[in-house]
Amino acid sequence: MSMAILLLQVSAAAPLPPIAFDLAKAKPPIRRCGSGTEAEIVVCGRSDPDRYRVKPIQDSYSDKPIVAEAKLGGGKLQAHGMKSPIPGAPGRAMLTFTTTF
């Protein structure tokens, strides 16, 4: 049923206009490499090894840690989360109580 509806929609579509493309007008790119002797093989190409490498993200885009803080008694209670060093493992919730002596 759905295949018949799909075929009806495709057959009712308007034909595409012809594409005006002449391959004789296309020019090859300019090569800037030296010519070798008959015994040499010359390879032209880009020599940038890092052109497809992913660049590191700037620190300004990284997530800042969220820390909840409250004064309790004579000290300070903090609640914060930590990422796990093991990939795929859940994070950790930490409570820290600091006081002065």
Side-chain angles (χ1 to χ4, degrees):
M1 177 72 178
S2 61
M3 183 60 114
I5 294 173
L6 179 66
L7 289 174
L8 284 173
Q9 288 177 345
V10 170
S11 63
L16 296 174
I19 298 173
F21 179 73
D22 187 10
L23 199 55
K25 293 180 182 177
K27 295 181 181 177
I30 299 171
R31 302 277 184 199
R32 292 188 175 97
C33 57
S35 60
T37 64
E38 292 179 5
E40 293 179 331
I41 298 174
V42 178
V43 178
C44 296
R46 297 184 180 123
S47 63
D48 183 15
D50 295 331
R51 81 179 143 174
Y52 297 121
R53 192 172 299 245
V54 177
K55 308 291 188 274
I57 297 175
Q58 298 174 0
D59 290 337
S60 61
Y61 292 112
S62 63
D63 294 334
K64 304 291 188 244
I66 299 172
V67 178
E69 187 174 292
K71 293 184 179 182
L72 184 66
K76 182 169 55 171
L77 180 67
Q78 291 181 330
H80 52 92
M82 292 181 62
K83 292 183 180 179
S84 175
I86 302 170
R92 303 177 186 138
M94 309 283 285
L95 286 175
T96 307
F97 182 73
T98 56
T99 184
T100 58
F101 290 102

